[in-house]
Amino acid sequence: MNSKQFETAKMCLKAVTPINISDGIVLGAKDYLYDSRRQKVYFLNLHQWHMFIYKHMLLKKYESYLANFRDKQSLLEWLRMQGYDIDDVRTVITSEAQATVNLMDNEKKKTLNDINRHIQQPDGSLYVPGSSIKGVFRTAILYTLLQKRQDVKVKYWRQIQEKISSNYFKPYKDLNKLISDLENELLHTLRLLDAGIRSNNAVCSAMRGLQVSDTYASRKMQTAILQKVDGGLDKFDKASPKKLPIFRECMLPEAELFFDVKIEKAVMSTIGISSVDDLLKATHSFFAAVTDLLQQAFGKEYQEVFQGVSAGNMFLGGNTGFLSKTLLAMLAPDKDTAKNTIKVLLDKSFKNHKHLLRDKVIAPRTLKCTNYNGKLMLMGVAEVRKV
């Protein structure tokens, strides 16, 4: 392989704050064991769990439990009533996670909340898909290109405002179309007209020149079940964090995963990326722009949340917030215009959230946080570096 044409690098992804990459599977209270005394959640191999039920002749009682699930009894409580405990079902437990938060909605409700699991390999080890990391790189590259193309920023911001003000505005469809057009204009730099391929075809995208592998770990990682916290401001502009009944299995701070990147220089250089260092520079620039927006709005009242965040260079995964996943605020000519337009967009998309009334300092009006080890933290901050 000609090193002048390609650059390959082994990369390290380190969790700065808790990270959740959802696999789309949400486990209900009947699907896991929660031991509040040990502060643990135990995840089950459902096939082996059902074999345990059959072997110990618990099928009728188990069916009755499932049919009358609203009897406010957790699965572990039911298991203990049958004369068994955690140690008796070790062989059906695939993994466990810390659960220092209370998974009950309230003291009266004894069935548990749903849990969004972190994506796993078939062997049960956690990983981050390469597509997720590449998506962050793509957004960062777009942000960097927009800093050099004021004409493109003005063009697409005008289109966004026109769409949002229309009575026929369809948030998901219309915005996706605009972002797709923006990507076509800035990233589809490969000219393949001789082959009869139009520029809006994905094969014309310079992102073809970037390959990102799934992550792999050098050791098994511990996880924790953490609760979603919206960090907002009250009517006096004071910190008013709100715990929500949403729980996620998260990678924990200091966890490290590894992955590989490969850059085809001739292709990526058409969008200003000639090396892995260029890629990391773009990633950090977008991360810094987002954190700067958040700090200007919340830094005074949520100082602890931003401590140590500068060690990161990307937001990754679920519950990282609207601003970390979109370029809308970066297209706007100034912060106030961004806020006023985004809150109209969000109000049309989520009527019950009252964005027009409540998004006063920034839109959206909350930091996406969680509590870990007694500290309020931003979700999804990661550091990516070359090894």
Side-chain angles (χ1 to χ4, degrees), residues 98-135:
Q98 297 177 3
T100 56
V101 294
N102 185 11
L103 294 179
M104 310 290 188
D105 277 338
N106 54 55
E107 293 181 0
K108 295 181 180 179
K109 181 179 182 295
K110 293 191 176 181
T111 51
L112 309 182
N113 288 88
D114 293 345
I115 293 176
N116 292 273
R117 292 214 67 184
H118 194 291
I119 193 167
Q120 300 179 350
Q121 298 281 14
D123 65 0
S125 61
L126 301 191
Y127 79 106
V128 177
S131 58
S132 296
I133 302 171
K134 186 172 180 178

Side-chain angles (χ1 to χ4, degrees), residues 9-68:
K10 182 177 180 180
M11 312 291 289
C12 176
L13 187 155
K14 180 179 180 180
V16 177
T17 67
I19 295 172
N20 168 261
I21 310 288
S22 176
D23 60 2
I25 295 175
V26 179
L27 297 183
K30 303 185 293 294
D31 302 320
Y32 62 85
L33 301 173
Y34 170 50
D35 190 335
S36 59
R37 290 179 296 183
R38 300 182 189 182
Q39 295 188 322
K40 293 279 188 179
V41 166
Y42 299 91
F43 298 110
L44 306 173
N45 178 310
L46 292 182
H47 174 71
Q48 293 181 7
W49 165 251
H50 293 151
M51 292 298 292
F52 174 88
I53 296 294
Y54 290 130
K55 179 179 178 181
H56 293 84
M57 295 180 286
L58 297 173
L59 182 57
K60 287 187 178 180
K61 292 181 178 180
Y62 183 57
E63 288 178 339
S64 176
Y65 165 73
L66 296 178
N68 299 283

Side-chain angles (χ1 to χ4, degrees), residues 332-373:
D334 56 71
K335 291 191 295 291
D336 284 339
T337 304
K339 176 192 69 177
N340 293 332
T341 302
I342 291 173
K343 71 180 183 180
V344 171
L345 161 65
L346 294 174
D347 190 72
K348 289 190 174 186
S349 303
F350 309 100
K351 296 288 186 181
N352 296 331
H353 293 185
K354 300 180 180 179
H355 286 279
L356 281 179
L357 178 64
R358 296 181 179 177
D359 291 5
K360 297 178 180 179
V361 179
I362 192 173
R365 61 183 176 273
T366 57
L367 288 170
K368 299 305 178 182
C369 305
T370 192
N371 283 306
Y372 176 64
N373 275 354

